[in-house]
Amino acid sequence: MAPMSNEAMGKKKVVIINGPNLNLTGLREPEIYGKTGFQEYIGILKQKFTDTEIVYFQSNSEGAIIDELHKYGFDTNIGIVLNAGAYSHYSIAIADAIRAITVPVIEVHLSNIYSREEYRHNSVTAPACKGIIAGFGMQGYELAIRAIIND
């Protein structure tokens, strides 16, 4: 007998896609990005959201992020949490990929991008997303997951 799909079980899937340098959370500028590494935090999220399948992907490559958006972008039982890092500020290609897919995408930033350098104040990807959460550190991912599963 084939295993039941998430949709058949009523289980929502959330795909977290992190962009460049987010593999260094916990090490890189902890005063801005926090002291918790994302691999540790993903375990915490999975414990909090036991009724939700959480898939995690990180890449420093713009093309790989776009491929991942395409991979999950048309599944009716999925939401995507995207922290595209610096790509948020200039990647028209990622913005176009978000516009091309049908699942909701919530943009997350660990820091408050509006209290930082001027070039970080603009996100070209945010207008393509359902919403944006910034400045709450790792908790931003939890808030985004809650928004997706309660939608």
Side-chain angles (χ1 to χ4, degrees), residues 80-130:
I80 295 174
V81 177
L82 173 65
N83 184 340
Y87 288 135
S88 302
H89 309 298
Y90 65 86
S91 179
I92 302 302
I94 290 176
D96 285 347
I98 296 166
R99 285 185 182 94
I101 63 177
T102 58
V103 302
V105 177
I106 297 178
E107 182 170 307
V108 170
H109 294 279
L110 296 171
S111 66
N112 180 349
I113 60 175
Y114 302 103
S115 68
R116 298 191 59 200
E117 302 91 344
E118 184 74 28
Y119 66 88
R120 295 186 194 271
H121 295 189
N122 183 46
S123 170
V124 299
T125 53
C129 294
K130 181 173 184 169

Side-chain angles (χ1 to χ4, degrees), residues 4-11:
M4 291 179 64
S5 69
N6 283 341
E7 195 165 8
M9 294 185 310
K11 191 172 188 178

